[in-house]
Amino acid sequence: MVTVYRREQGLSRRELLKRGGVGALLVITGSAVISPEHAWGLETSALKPETMATLIQMARDIYPHDQVPDRFYAIAVKTHDEQAGKDTAHKDLIESGIADLDKRAGEGGYRGLGWEEERVEVLKQIEETPFFQAIRGGLVVGLYNQKELWPIFGYEGESYSKGGYITRGFDDIEWL
């Protein structure tokens, strides 16, 4: 069975045109989440593909960066699938956390909420839970430790191997 989701699911044609785009298309198959528009896929081994698709959306809502493609968020949350394969308690934490998130979001679930503000309101309801803290904490390292993203944020990497910051102009960061 293949399920197709669009981020703007549930919007009228007029609302969709006002927003200026059709959003990201995610195809959920038996064991994978695929983005045919952007040519990437994520296989799952322990968590349901629907769970992974929700984790990708949740990651984007927790640390929103318009210039960062979804595939980097997918890489960041893949660690939860790997850990769930080794630890049934972690698997239960993630699956039950997503079920609770979808229940709080109402009909259509979390991914069915068309506006970021609506999803953030649901996230605020669970921000003190162990589930939310596990996802947020994993994203800090999982997302920002991807070297391909560093240029987007203006980070040049560690400085020790390049002689340190003092001799390289530590104050040359333009975005600060």
Side-chain angles (χ1 to χ4, degrees):
M1 180 174 128
V2 176
T3 309
V4 177
Y5 291 93
R6 286 205 178 270
R7 278 212 190 120
E8 287 81 3
Q9 189 175 10
L11 294 179
S12 71
R13 182 177 181 274
R14 181 177 302 263
E15 289 171 325
L16 186 63
L17 291 174
K18 275 196 248 181
R19 289 185 68 187
V22 293
L25 172 72
L26 293 180
V27 177
I28 298 175
T29 67
S31 64
V33 178
I34 301 167
S35 175
E37 289 179 68
H38 303 288
W40 64 265
L42 173 70
E43 283 190 88
T44 61
S45 58
L47 298 173
K48 295 183 273 187
E50 296 84 4
T51 298
M52 292 303 291
T54 302
L55 285 174
I56 293 166
Q57 181 63 63
M58 186 179 170
R60 179 168 285 289
D61 292 335
I62 293 172
Y63 293 109
H65 299 288
D66 292 338
Q67 70 276 30
V68 175
D70 282 346
R71 71 184 175 99
F72 293 104
Y73 288 99
I75 292 167
V77 298
K78 176 67 175 159
T79 58
H80 291 289
D81 183 54
E82 294 164 357
Q83 188 175 351
K86 300 172 191 167
D87 180 3
T88 56
H90 188 74
K91 180 177 180 176
D92 292 342
L93 175 74
I94 301 301
E95 293 289 0
S96 63
I98 293 295
D100 179 51
L101 190 65
D102 284 339
K103 182 179 176 184
R104 290 172 187 264
E107 188 177 337
Y110 182 76
R111 286 189 322 267
L113 295 173
W115 301 98
E116 181 180 352
E117 294 82 17
E118 293 173 317
R119 292 189 305 270
V120 169
E121 285 302 315
V122 175
L123 290 176
K124 285 180 181 178
Q125 296 172 20
I126 66 162
E127 67 185 340
E128 300 298 324
T129 65
F131 163 68
F132 181 88
Q133 293 302 317
I135 302 303
R136 186 196 57 78
L139 284 171
V140 171
V141 174
L143 183 62
Y144 297 114
N145 205 26
Q146 296 180 52
K147 289 183 180 183
E148 289 181 66
L149 291 177
W150 293 353
I152 292 173
F153 301 120
Y155 178 59
E156 298 172 2
E158 58 82 25
S159 68
Y160 178 77
S161 66
K162 300 170 187 134
Y165 287 115
I166 294 175
T167 59
R168 292 182 54 232
F170 69 91
D171 60 350
D172 67 349
I173 299 174
E174 296 175 17
W175 55 270
L176 201 71

